[in-house]
Amino acid sequence: MSTAHNGQDAGQAQATGGKRTAGAYDVRTVIAGLIGFYGVVLVVLGIVDYGEAEAAKTGDWNANLWVGLGMLAFALVFAAWTKLRPVVVEGGEAVEDPTGGSDTAGR
């Protein structure tokens, strides 16, 4: 058989439910979202609420702005890592509870 035929068989096996990516369930997605959100908050605070009192506390550099930009860069690296190297999850069909109940706390 040719390699093109083998490649089609492998693609069909993946399409029918053999493997899939973790997507939103990947912990890197959560980390990127949280760090990115805090980075946006700090950048906004660094732009809007920077005065002489804050400058005196930090030695005349805008700590909120620079740390926020660093956090945004970190979040972008994590998001790119998630897209470039996705976690592959091997999954089969959904398994049902043989007892018919979904709550095991009452046992």
Side-chain angles (χ1 to χ4, degrees), residues 38-50 62 64-65 68 72:
Y38 293 138
V40 168
V41 169
L42 286 176
V43 167
V44 169
L45 280 175
I47 292 170
V48 173
D49 190 32
Y50 182 71
N62 195 342
N64 285 338
L65 178 67
L72 285 175

Side-chain angles (χ1 to χ4, degrees), residues 1-14:
M1 305 234 153
S2 70
T3 49
H5 181 63
N6 292 340
Q8 288 176 343
D9 290 342
Q12 289 173 352
Q14 288 180 353

Side-chain angles (χ1 to χ4, degrees), residues 6-42:
N6 292 340
Q8 288 176 343
D9 290 342
Q12 289 173 352
Q14 288 180 353
T16 58
K19 295 180 181 180
R20 64 179 189 268
T21 61
Y25 298 108
D26 189 354
V27 70
R28 296 173 296 178
T29 305
V30 176
I31 291 171
L34 288 173
I35 298 295
F37 174 74
Y38 293 138
V40 168
V41 169
L42 286 176

